[in-house]
Amino acid sequence: MSWDIPSQTNQLRADGLWRELRTLDSKQGPLVHVDGCELINFSSNDYLGLTASEVLHEALRKGVQLYGAGSGSSRLVCGTLKPHVELEAALAAFKQTEAALTFSSGYAVALGTIPALVGKGDTIILDKLSHACLVDAARLSGATIRVFPHNHLGKLSKLLETAQGRVLVVTEAIFSMDGDACPLAEIVELKERHGAWLLLDEAHAVGVIGPQGRGLSAALGLSGRVDLQMGTLSKALGLSGGYLAASRQVIDLLINRARSLIYSTAPLPCLAHAARIALDIVASSEGDRRRQALRENVRQLSPGDSFVSAIVPRIIGDENHAMAASARLRESGFLIPAIRYPTVARGSARLRITVSAAHDLGQIQRLRQSLFELGLSE
Ligand SMILES: *Cc1c(COP(=O)(O)O)cnc(C)c1O
């Protein structure tokens, strides 16, 4: 093997899989500036429009005033400040668990949690469409990995029957690239019948669905039966960071074993301070109003469908065709990058349209019209 970088990059280009960073010259929001053009952004995970919230901006400023800039060290040395602890108590209350632990990202939650709880001789059973961080964490753990076809309960049941050691089922509440939900009640029944545990990644559910935006487990009254509830502060909550909500015993073990927590500097205290305020907004009547606006916007974009999530994919298939559709939409004034392998399977490239409470009706109608012109209405 040689270090032939150009041949690798050329191959990526030839396969329609080349990726580039694009720079926004504006704030995050429904209208962004890219290369001197104003574009309507339908690709952010800021589902409730909280990144623009003056209350959150003020909370960040206040957090800096009270707690300074950096956190100084990892959580276990001297990097745990009061706002971290207050945020974790608020998250536990919000998720109706005994305790919660925050990490610098959702990715770090997965990487820290899964290998801390299972290892060689154990089995992890993953939904085929699980997010890359869940797959990476499963690999890192050294446990045997089994995969079931997306939302396939029959195959999950079969895998549970033959799994060895401690068995952890891993799935998402709302799937990040498809926007559909997992059959949570049935999965909970199955994992309980086999004495397995369940890790549910609620990255795209928290803030968006369930009473007060508490997610899918709360919507179905199953919070108490999901062993490990994972989520991020970077999507509907409009900031960054991730959390795991679970029993006190699990959280205490993670504090001792989760390497992405132990060997990484604590998240900025001002972020923790602001995230608690973001959580208050999400759970408040203002959160309900924002969720209502989001639902209405999704309904306007896809009138036939009942509301599941803020993610409205248009699956195109061929990678180069998806790139071309994205380029056409950009000419029409929209920012909707094509999502391709390895984020989704080869040949299932798509436009992942994400709707926000912050979009206005005119923006939604313009997108509907442009999708129609491209033959991409449902
Ligand atoms: C975004 C995402 C994550 C990672 O969260 P970050 O806070 O962005 O690291 C984890 N799981 C799913 C399903 C996601 O979509």
Side-chain angles (χ1 to χ4, degrees), residues 45 104-108 131 133-134 172 174 176-177 201 203-204 230-235 240-242 352:
N45 299 315
S104 49
S105 69
Y107 197 110
H131 190 267
C133 70
L134 302 168
E172 293 180 29
I174 298 294
S176 58
M177 297 298 135
D201 183 347
H204 302 277
M230 163 181 165
T232 174
L233 310 172
S234 63
K235 288 165 183 159
S240 82
R352 175 185 183 263

Side-chain angles (χ1 to χ4, degrees), residues 125 148-149 152-163 169 186-187 190-191 193-194:
I125 307 179
F148 59 100
H152 195 306
L153 294 166
K155 192 66 202 277
L156 169 60
S157 175
K158 283 255 155 36
L159 291 173
L160 279 163
E161 277 163 24
T162 56
V169 177
E186 291 81 357
I187 290 174
L190 276 175
K191 69 97 185 169
R193 197 179 312 151
H194 293 272

